[in-house]
């Protein structure tokens, strides 16, 4: 799980060891020790350049936030934002979400955000979608009782696929909207991801739902 693909980024990232956990599986079941408190843990999976998770961390000092990202060249942008703001309640992890059960123990997580996940439009790639039932089974294990998953996407086929997968896996769906930025969900409009800012400028609709375990 070491950062090793791009040495110049690794050199910068290792200087930020207060924010980036290089061997995250060592903290499995012990994330409260890393944060030095027992606040609820909220993950953003596929965090990209991190605007969403960094803004939430600034707004909600009573929660611990973790951004997970596989590409270090975007992760570094998210880390720099947190360093500049001096945030204490946020960490970033560089690993493949396939391995999420190696990093978080049963019931360790309170909320997961899936924002603008890659749609993988070809049917033969459906298992790679982060809302495929194979992933949902893993999320169910690490989420605590009443844990939630909040999803946003601009991609209608992925949204429909996701609604079906979540409901077949026994999640309760709520607060569904096919046009978030023209909806009554004021809180959910306030914090946007980098992709969302771009799509909203282009006039695209944003689909959103919440799922409860
Ligand atoms: C389309 S981008 C969206 C980024 C961000 N959430 C946003 O809305 O601006 C999807 C991100 O998910 C990351 N990603 C996709 N599959 C992943 C995986 N299996 N493990 C970790 N990160 C992944 C990609 O590297 C990419 O940065």
């Amino acid at each position: 799980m070491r950062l090793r693909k791009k040495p110049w980024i690794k050199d910068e990232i290792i200087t930020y060891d207060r924010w980036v956990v290089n061997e995250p599986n060592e903290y499995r079941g012990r994330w409260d020790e890393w944060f030095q408190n027992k606040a609820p843990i909220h993950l953003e999976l596929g965090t990209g350049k991190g605007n969403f998770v960094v803004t939430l961390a600034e707004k909600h000092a009573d929660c611990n936030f973790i951004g997970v990202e596989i590409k270090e060249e975007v992760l570094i942008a998210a880390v720099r934002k947190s360093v500049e703001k001096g945030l204490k309640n946020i960490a970033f992890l560089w690993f493949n979400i396939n391995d999420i059960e190696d990093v978080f123990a049963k019931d360790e997580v309170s909320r997961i955000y899936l924002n603008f996940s890659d749609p993988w439009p070809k049917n033969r790639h459906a298992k790679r979608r982060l809302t495929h039932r194979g992933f949902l089974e893993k999320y169910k294990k690490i989420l605590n009782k009443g844990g939630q998953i909040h999803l946003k996407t601009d991609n209608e086929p992925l949204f429909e696929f996701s609604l079906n997968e979540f409901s077949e896996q026994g999640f309760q769906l709520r607060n569904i909207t096919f046009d978030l930025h023209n909806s009554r969900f004021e809180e959910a409009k306030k914090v946007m991801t980098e992709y969302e800012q771009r799509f909203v400028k282009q006039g695209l609709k944003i689909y959103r739902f919440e799922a409860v375990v």
Side-chain angles (χ1 to χ4, degrees):
M1 291 208 188
R2 283 188 184 280
L3 292 154
R4 59 177 167 263
K5 277 203 263 174
K6 304 229 168 35
W8 62 94
I9 294 177
K10 181 189 170 188
D11 286 349
E12 182 177 347
I13 281 186
I14 55 175
T15 65
Y16 300 137
D17 59 351
R18 170 62 191 78
W19 287 274
V20 182
V21 187
N22 262 332
E23 297 289 353
N25 40 357
E26 286 179 3
Y27 286 94
R28 186 176 187 275
R30 303 195 295 121
W31 283 103
D32 52 352
E33 287 176 32
W34 194 87
F35 284 107
Q36 298 181 359
N37 64 56
K38 290 191 181 299
I41 292 177
H42 292 190
L43 310 181
E44 188 188 16
L45 301 182
T47 204
K49 293 185 179 172
N51 189 60
F52 182 85
V53 72
V54 170
T55 309
L56 286 187
E58 271 186 298
K59 283 169 91 95
H60 302 284
D62 54 341
C63 289
N64 292 323
F65 292 88
I66 299 181
V68 178
E69 176 53 55
I70 201 167
K71 289 187 196 151
E72 65 269 42
E73 63 270 28
V74 287
L75 180 68
I76 187 70
V79 177
R80 285 180 190 140
K81 288 184 181 110
S82 304
V83 176
E84 276 165 25
K85 293 173 191 291
L87 296 172
K88 303 254 186 293
N89 59 335
I90 193 164
F92 292 96
L93 314 180
W94 183 73
F95 71 92
N96 191 326
I97 295 157
N98 272 321
D99 302 328
I100 198 155
E101 287 176 280
D102 297 337
V103 176
F104 298 100
K106 192 172 174 318
D107 297 338
E108 201 171 15
V109 172
S110 297
R111 189 176 297 181
I112 293 175
Y113 293 99
L114 293 170
N115 290 323
F116 303 89
S117 305
D118 298 318
W120 294 106
K122 293 186 177 144
N123 279 342
R124 70 172 189 277
H125 292 147
K127 284 189 178 166
R128 298 183 192 177
R129 297 175 194 149
L130 293 182
T131 53
H132 185 273
R133 62 196 62 195
F135 282 103
L136 300 190
E137 279 165 15
K138 295 179 189 188
Y139 305 154
K140 270 207 274 193
K141 287 186 195 150
I142 64 167
L143 280 168
N144 55 27
K145 196 168 181 294
Q148 301 174 15
I149 301 182
H150 295 194
L151 176 143
K152 288 198 269 192
T153 182
D154 63 308
N155 188 289
E156 191 176 356
L158 179 70
F159 191 67
E160 282 176 9
F161 171 85
S162 304
L163 284 170
N164 283 328
E165 291 292 280
F166 275 83
S167 94
E168 282 184 25
Q169 287 301 304
F171 285 85
Q172 278 190 329
L173 296 169
R174 66 182 194 192
N175 295 337
I176 301 171
T177 171
F178 290 78
D179 188 0
L180 171 63
H181 291 277
N182 287 304
S183 76
R184 64 187 166 86
F185 301 114
E186 300 303 331
E187 266 314 298
K189 290 178 202 175
K190 282 184 191 158
V191 184
M192 287 201 258
T193 78
E194 280 83 356
Y195 272 66
E196 185 172 6
Q197 287 166 358
R198 198 185 316 155
F199 294 144
V200 167
K201 261 191 203 148
Q202 291 169 8
L204 297 179
K205 285 185 183 168
I206 305 302
Y207 302 83
R208 180 181 183 273
F209 68 71
E210 297 173 7
V212 184
V213 180

